[in-house]
Amino acid sequence: MTEPITFSVKALSAGYGGHPVVSDVCFSLRKGSILSLIGPNGAGKSTILKTISGQLSALSGTVMIDGRSLSSMTGTELARKMSLLLTDRVRPEMMTCFEAAAMGRYPYTGRFGRLTEEDRRIVTSALDRVGVLSLAEKDFLEISDGQRQRVLLARALAQEPEILILDEPTSYLDIRHKIELLDILLEEARCRQLTIILSLHEIDLAEKVSDYVLCIRDSGVLCSGTPEEIFTEKRIRQLYDIQEGTYLTGPGSIELGRTGGEPEVFIVGGAGNGLPFYRALARKRIPFSAGILFENDLEYGTARALAARVHSVPAFEEIPAPVFDAALANLLHCRAVIDAGTPVRAANRRNAALLEKARAAGLPVCGGPDALEQAIHVLGCPNQKEET
Amino acid sequence: MSGGTAAFSARRPAPSCSDMEFLGREEGQSRIGGIRPSYQHDHHSRNDGHVPFSAAIPRQRLRRKVRCSMKKIRIPLMFALLTSALLVLLALSLGIGSVPISPGEILRILTGSAADAKASSIILKIRMPRVFGAAILGGALGLSGFLLQTFFRNPVAGPYVLGISSGARLLVCITMIFLLRLFSAAPFICLMAAAFAGSLLVTGLVLLFARRIRSMSTLLVVGIMVGSICTSATDFLITFADEADVVNLHSWSLGSFSAINFASLTPAVLIIIPAAIGAFLLSKPVGAYQLGENYARSMGVNIRTFRLLLITLSSLLSASVTALAGPVSFVGVAVPHIARLLFGTSRPLVIIPASFLFGSVFCLLCDLIARTAFAPSELAISSVTAVFGAPIVIGLMIGRQRRREND
C-alpha cells in the first residue's frame, strides 16, 4: 500500500460533558483502507466514531483529514469529505427511498436543495451499487430494516465522501445482509479508494473485512494492528475478558465454555469426524475426552476448547507409546467410547488399538450413524435416574 | 425483498478494480448477486437513452413511468385545487352572512363603484378583515404546526398542544385584571401584546429546557407541563378576580376571528409574511433534519442555529395568531399531516407552502361554519376546528400505528 495517509488521529480524548470516555487514541489511515474498531460494549467505540466525525467535539487531541484539522473545517467542507452511517432510528414520513438517498447530495446542492441531472445520476449509481435501485420509488418506511440500512448506506455514498464512518452497521442485520454489506464496503474501498472506519461486534467478520484493527477497552486503545496480529486467542480473550469459552484463531470462530468434571465419554476421532460429537456432548453438558488427535487436525482446536482432556501428538508423527498409554488409562475410566469413524492409516493406527482394548475391557464402543444415541443411552438420562 | 437469487449475469459496469484477487471474485458472479430483482432491464434500457415506446418496454418500467408522471402533476394539481378552493371560500365568506351580498355586488364594492354604503361598509369594515384574517392566520397556524412537528419530531406537536396558547392566556388574564384596574378598559392592542408576549414566554422557557434535554419527546412533555402551570395560574387569578374584570377572558379563550380589524391585522401580517418566507428559505435543512439531528449535522447543517431559527419562526407565527384570534386548536396539528397526505410527499419545499395554503382553506371553511351553522349565534372557532381536526388526528395516529406494526 503506497497510498498517502488521509486520516490521522493524535492523542485524542473523547467523552461527554468534559468527562473523557476514551483517551489517548492514536491511529493513521491510508486512503482506501478499512479500519475496524472492536471491543466490549460501553468501551467507547461509538464515542470515538462520533468524535472523529465531528458530531462530538474532542476533549483534546487532533483529528487531521488530508492534512487539515477537523475543527478548522466548516460543516459543508467536512460533509464533502466524510459521510456517516449511524445507528439512529430514521423514520421520515412520506419519503421515498430515492429521496432519502438523495439527501446525501445536501452538501452539493443549492439554496433550495434542488437536484441536478448529475445529482440524480450519482444517487442512482449509489442505490445501484448497494443493490436497492429497484426500491427507489418505494416509501422508506415500508421496506425492511436490512433494506433501510442499505438505502442509508446509499445516502452516505451519494455524499461522495473520501471517508466513510459506520457505527455498528451490521447489528440487527441477518447473516446474509451482514455479508453483503461488508462486501459492498470492500468493493468501495478497493475500487473507489474510499477510506472506511467502522465499529463491529462480530469479530469473525472484523477479521475478514479489516486492513487494520483497533481494540478499545477500559477507556483506551488496548492494542492495534493488522488482523493477523490482533486475532489471536490471547488478545481476544484479554480484549473481551472472556472467562468461559474459547476463540479459535483458525476459523475465527468462538466455542462456548467447556464442561468440567471427570470425562464420561471417550471420543476416538480425527479428520473432523469428531466435531459433531464434541458439540453434541458439550450441548448436553457431558464431560468427555478426545484422542488421539494430530495437532494440525481440523477438530483439534474445538477439542481443546470443549473436551475435558485431549490426547494429542505433533502433526504427522506416529503415536508414541506414552501418549497411547495415557489415552488408554483415561479411556478405561470412561463409561462409553465413541468411534467417530475416522479412517485408520499408518500414522494413527494406534487409535484402532485403543478401540480394540476398549472392547476387550467390556466398554460399550458406539459407532455408526447413531453412535451418539447409543452413548447417551449407555450413560442414561440423568432426569430418568432421578425419577426412579 | 424479492427472493430472486437468479444469477445476476450482467455485471455492473465495474470500475477498474485492481484487487480482484483479494476480493476473491469470480467472473460473472456478483458480490451482491441475490438481492436484485428484475430491475436490470430498466437499468439497461435507461442507459440506452431514447427507447421508442413499444411493447418491448417492460411493464414494470411503464408502471413506474405512469406513477412518476402522476407524481409530477399531482403537486401542481393540488396547488391549483387548493388555490381555487381558497378563492371560492373567500368569495363565499364575503357574501354569506346576516346580510347576504351577491358576488357582483362584492366586485362593485371592491372596485369602488358600489352605491350601497351599508353593504360597502359591511364588506370593507367587517367581513374583509375577518375573512383575510382567517386566511392568513390559518396559514400561519398550519405552517407553525409543521415547523413545531419538525422541531419536536413528534406528530402531535402544535402551538395549542405545547402550552403556547396557555401562556398567552395567562398574560392576557393578567393584563385584563391589572390594566382594567388602571384604565377601566384594556385597549385591544394591549391584549394583543400580552398574548404575543405570553406565547413567546412559553417557547422561551421550552427553549431554555431544550439546552439541557436531548430527547425531543421529553421536551414536548415539558412544554405541556409548562402549559399546565400557566393554565392553573390563570385559573387561580380568575378565582380571586372580580367577575367583571375577567368576563372578556372567557370569550377570548374560546377563540374567534370576529374581533379582527385592519388595524390589528396589519402588524400581524408584517410578522407572518416574513416569518413564512423565512420558513420557506429553511426548506433545505428541514429536509435534512427529517433524517434526524445527527445525519443533518453530518451533512453540514448547523444544528444549533437551525433549531433556534425553527422555534423562533414557529413561535412568532403562532404568537401572532393567538394575539389576534385567541387559542385555535387542532389546526396546527392536523393541517401539516393532511397536507402531506394530499400532496403525497413530505418534501419541505412543497409542504411548507402547502401547509400555509391548506391552513388558510381549513380556517376559512371552519370560520364560515362557525358563523353560519347556527346563525345568528356564532360558534367558537375552536369548537369547529376541533370537530374536524380531532377525528383526523385520531385517524392519522391509528394509521401510523398500523404502519409501525407492519414494520
Side-chain angles (χ1 to χ4, degrees), chain A residues 134-388:
Chain A
S134 58
L135 301 175
E137 294 305 319
K138 278 217 166 194
D139 191 312
F140 186 75
L141 296 182
E142 283 168 5
I143 58 176
S144 75
D145 280 336
Q147 291 169 329
R148 260 197 287 273
Q149 182 83 329
R150 274 158 185 264
V151 174
L152 288 173
L153 178 61
R155 187 212 65 80
L157 295 178
Q159 209 171 316
E160 293 197 308
E162 289 167 24
I163 300 154
L164 176 63
I165 292 182
L166 309 95
D167 192 4
E168 290 177 18
T170 51
S171 304
Y172 317 114
L173 294 186
D174 63 32
I175 187 70
R176 174 182 139 192
H177 284 103
K178 280 184 213 276
I179 297 170
E180 288 171 355
L181 184 92
L182 294 179
D183 270 337
I184 293 166
L185 294 186
L186 271 175
E187 184 118 341
E188 293 294 323
R190 300 301 166 243
C191 301
R192 298 177 154 253
Q193 294 296 303
L194 189 64
T195 309
I196 297 173
I197 302 173
L198 74 165
S199 61
L200 281 174
H201 271 307
E202 298 88 347
I203 49 174
D204 52 331
L205 296 177
E207 183 180 2
K208 280 146 203 164
V209 77
S210 336
D211 296 314
Y212 304 102
V213 183
L214 206 59
C215 302
I216 314 295
R217 158 142 209 169
D218 294 335
S219 64
V221 179
L222 180 74
C223 53
S224 63
T226 62
E228 291 73 27
E229 292 164 348
I230 297 301
F231 291 99
T232 62
E233 152 102 67
K234 194 179 135 227
R235 282 264 164 83
I236 295 299
R237 196 175 272 281
Q238 186 189 9
L239 175 62
Y240 288 96
D241 197 14
I242 300 172
Q243 309 285 345
E244 303 279 314
T246 312
Y247 174 79
L248 302 181
T249 317
S253 66
I254 47 128
E255 294 292 351
L256 302 184
R258 159 200 342 262
T259 313
E262 275 302 303
E264 292 186 33
V265 181
F266 194 101
I267 300 168
V268 180
N273 289 327
L275 280 174
F277 298 105
Y278 303 151
R279 295 254 160 74
L281 291 177
R283 276 198 299 274
K284 292 190 181 296
R285 289 273 179 258
I286 297 171
F288 62 91
S289 286
I292 299 169
L293 299 174
F294 296 113
E295 280 164 13
N296 68 336
D297 197 293
L298 177 62
E299 63 188 63
Y300 178 67
T302 309
R304 282 281 304 274
L306 298 179
R309 204 167 301 161
V310 181
H311 303 276
S312 65
V313 291
F316 312 118
E317 232 175 61
E318 269 199 47
I319 299 166
V323 175
F324 177 78
D325 293 340
L328 183 61
N330 184 206
L331 179 142
L332 293 173
H333 277 100
C334 290
R335 292 163 58 202
V337 179
I338 290 176
D339 175 11
T342 307
V344 175
R345 295 287 181 268
N348 68 344
R349 65 194 150 78
R350 278 199 145 140
N351 275 350
L354 215 51
L355 290 170
E356 233 158 71
K357 294 261 182 191
R359 284 197 192 93
L363 276 171
V365 175
C366 316
D370 60 342
L372 189 68
E373 284 78 14
Q374 293 171 30
I376 288 166
H377 182 74
V378 169
L379 295 178
C381 184
N383 291 340
Q384 282 172 354
K385 257 182 214 163
E386 275 168 31
E387 278 165 25
T388 49

